[in-house]
Amino acid sequence: MGTWATHAFGNDYAQDWAEDLQETRNMEAVENTLDTALNNGDAVLEAPYAAEALVAIEVIARLQGHWGLRDDDTEILDLWIAEHPQRARQDLAEKAHRVIDRILSEQSELRQLWAETEHYDDWRAAVEELRGRVSL
């Protein structure tokens, strides 16, 4: 996985997901991504799905008006938000919080990969910051 930052946008999976979002007009891709992260039972949540879920959660936070980081890495997603203003459904915000719990759990490959680095605390803080921007 090409990773260059601890924030949700700092990896290839997230960038690819944000580019694919450009093909949609509604929240279906966001919901499907959250459901994928939640619906794998007790199996380990694979890193690509977790990375995509974090960007899907960014969509929810931004639609709620809680933008967070805005830079070249976020530009594709920010453009989609501007072109498709809508309200993020409450049930998606609730799912987002459950997904973050899953991503930070022992059953998350993404957490396991970050835990092996010196940047784990920064990554975890970025995920917790994102959680704080999603209003329930």
Side-chain angles (χ1 to χ4, degrees):
M1 170 170 79
T3 301
W4 56 89
T6 57
H7 58 74
F9 299 95
N11 64 78
D12 291 336
Y13 298 124
Q15 291 296 311
D16 290 345
W17 188 91
E19 286 180 20
D20 290 344
L21 185 65
Q22 297 302 309
E23 305 299 320
T24 69
R25 296 192 178 277
N26 59 38
M27 297 292 284
E28 186 175 335
V30 171
E31 185 166 20
N32 289 343
T33 300
L34 297 179
D35 288 344
T36 296
L38 290 172
N39 294 333
N40 67 338
D42 291 334
V44 171
L45 175 60
E46 294 179 27
Y49 299 123
E52 292 171 351
L54 289 173
V55 177
I57 295 167
E58 280 285 355
V59 171
I60 296 167
R62 288 163 191 264
L63 287 173
Q64 290 179 333
H66 309 293
W67 284 82
L69 174 72
R70 292 178 92 171
D71 67 7
D72 290 342
D73 292 336
T74 71
E75 187 174 7
I76 293 170
L77 189 72
D78 295 341
L79 180 61
W80 187 89
I81 299 287
E83 292 175 350
H84 303 90
Q86 55 196 291
R87 297 191 76 191
R89 297 186 338 247
Q90 183 65 32
D91 65 311
L92 292 181
E94 292 166 1
K95 278 185 185 184
H97 278 258
R98 292 195 339 256
V99 169
I100 288 174
D101 288 342
R102 182 96 166 96
I103 290 169
L104 294 176
S105 77
E106 295 291 322
Q107 292 299 104
S108 168
E109 181 185 31
L110 187 61
R111 189 207 57 80
Q112 293 169 4
L113 291 170
W114 277 106
E116 296 171 359
T117 73
E118 63 198 56
H119 302 289
Y120 173 73
D121 290 337
D122 294 333
W123 172 79
R124 186 175 183 95
V127 174
E128 291 291 358
E129 186 271 338
L130 174 57
R131 181 199 311 260
R133 288 191 287 115
V134 177
S135 302
L136 289 176

